[in-house]
Amino acid sequence: QVQLVESGGGLVQPGGSLRLSCATSGVTFSRYTMSWYRQPPGKERELVAYITYGAGSTNYADSVKGRFTISRDNAMSLVYLQMNSLKPEDTAVYYCKAVHRWGGAHWGQGTQVTVSS
């Protein structure tokens, strides 16, 4: 059974940092491109960043470039999202997504990030 479990969300002040983690099980992690999405209140879900299988190439939404870093640990089947210089507009539910190199996707249940003073 495939499971993706996000953790690390919470309440943080503007300018602060958080590190999200996504633990996976039931998949051959190294064969998946891993992504972080977010869904702000009242808005659609949007892609934040992804990291590919193999070479581990990364890409980021313009709104988070230079502030967020995605990384993965294939040995531990974990993907991280380091979020620095957080802004109120980063407030959202953050989701982890795994996409197999041959297709098929799995989602986590999400973790809430609130940036507020």
Side-chain angles (χ1 to χ4, degrees):
Q1 184 178 358
V2 178
Q3 281 193 314
L4 281 69
V5 180
E6 301 95 336
S7 61
L11 174 64
V12 63
Q13 292 187 341
S17 298
L18 283 175
R19 189 177 81 155
L20 305 183
S21 300
C22 174
T24 67
S25 60
V27 299
T28 304
F29 184 77
S30 61
R31 297 177 184 174
Y32 284 76
T33 287
M34 300 301 298
S35 305
W36 286 97
Y37 283 73
R38 67 185 181 186
Q39 187 164 16
K43 297 184 179 180
E44 295 187 351
R45 195 173 297 190
E46 60 184 11
L47 176 65
V48 175
Y50 69 79
I51 183 166
T52 64
Y53 64 87
S57 300
T58 59
N59 201 4
Y60 298 90
D62 287 343
S63 59
V64 306
K65 280 182 182 176
R67 300 188 298 122
F68 290 11
T69 303
I70 188 171
S71 60
R72 65 190 296 159
D73 183 336
N74 287 339
M76 298 296 291
S77 299
L78 289 164
V79 62
Y80 302 102
L81 185 68
Q82 177 67 44
M83 306 186 295
N84 298 328
S85 302
L86 283 161
K87 305 175 181 180
E89 51 264 43
D90 295 318
T91 295
V93 178
Y94 283 72
Y95 297 90
C96 177
K97 181 183 180 182
V99 179
H100 192 272
R101 63 183 182 178
W102 294 331
H106 308 280
W107 289 90
Q109 83 290 347
T111 186
Q112 176 70 47
V113 171
T114 302
V115 185
S116 175
S117 54

